[in-house]
Amino acid sequence: MKTADLIDTHASDLQLVHLPFRAFGLRQSFAGQAQTVKCFEDNTLIRAELEKPGKGRVLVIDAAGSTRVAVMGDMLAALAIENDWAGVVLNGAIRDSVEIDNMNILIFALATSPVKSAKDGHGKVGGKICLGGVDISPQTWIYADRDGVLASSRQLI
């Protein structure tokens, strides 16, 4: 179901993740429960999560809005596909955007940067993060298409 139709039907159950996202990848939409990561210019924990079975979940990453350093590229996008992650919502930057645009995935990110991230293991997996004015915890339902990203405390479709 398109996000426009979903919010028309379930407006009281949904919040718009209001950030100036750009969409990357071939997929047009995704839906699934969130898994959260909070990090800053370090993608160690992102990789660790994407190496696990996604089971149709959505990886939601608060990279503090940094667009100076990319915390995800084509190798991590390939891991997401291989391990059955529904998609990625990233409050930060990606790299390898041309390659990702040709992959069967949908990633929302703020920008691109050629600069790769640190590998120091700083950050936190799980727990509540706030993106675009919306509190997102593991188990929050994320619905997204090229019109935007929506969050709900319960499964709607």
Side-chain angles (χ1 to χ4, degrees):
M1 177 178 272
K2 298 185 318 183
T3 57
D5 295 338
L6 192 60
I7 204 160
D8 287 350
T9 307
H10 300 282
S12 63
D13 293 312
L14 289 162
Q15 293 180 286
L16 173 67
V17 181
H18 191 248
L19 287 172
F21 288 123
R22 293 173 54 190
F24 300 92
L26 294 173
R27 291 195 58 196
Q28 297 301 306
S29 64
F30 60 73
Q33 287 183 294
Q35 170 59 308
T36 60
V37 173
K38 187 173 182 77
C39 60
F40 182 72
E41 298 184 353
D42 185 323
N43 74 355
T44 306
L45 297 178
I46 296 168
R47 174 180 287 282
E49 285 307 296
L50 292 174
E51 288 175 340
K52 298 175 185 175
K55 301 177 183 174
R57 292 176 296 160
V58 176
L59 190 61
V60 182
I61 305 160
D62 182 3
S66 175
T67 57
R68 187 180 75 83
V69 170
V71 293
M72 188 168 189
D74 62 339
M75 291 171 45
L76 294 187
L79 273 177
I81 294 165
E82 178 183 328
N83 291 319
D84 191 34
W85 288 87
V88 176
V89 177
L90 169 59
N91 182 23
I94 66 163
R95 60 192 243 155
D96 306 314
S97 63
V98 171
E99 290 84 355
I100 291 172
D101 271 339
N102 290 303
M103 299 172 82
N104 187 28
I105 193 165
L106 180 55
I107 297 172
F108 289 91
L110 298 179
T112 61
S113 171
V115 181
K116 68 180 176 179
S117 74
K119 311 283 190 256
D120 299 323
H122 297 296
K124 181 181 177 187
V125 174
K128 183 170 66 174
I129 60 176
C130 185
L131 293 187
V134 179
D135 289 335
I136 299 172
S137 301
Q139 310 308 316
T140 297
W141 281 86
I142 305 295
Y143 301 92
D145 64 16
R146 298 203 176 246
D147 286 343
V149 178
L150 302 171
S152 176
S153 62
R154 64 185 186 93
Q155 183 177 9
L156 300 173
I157 56 172

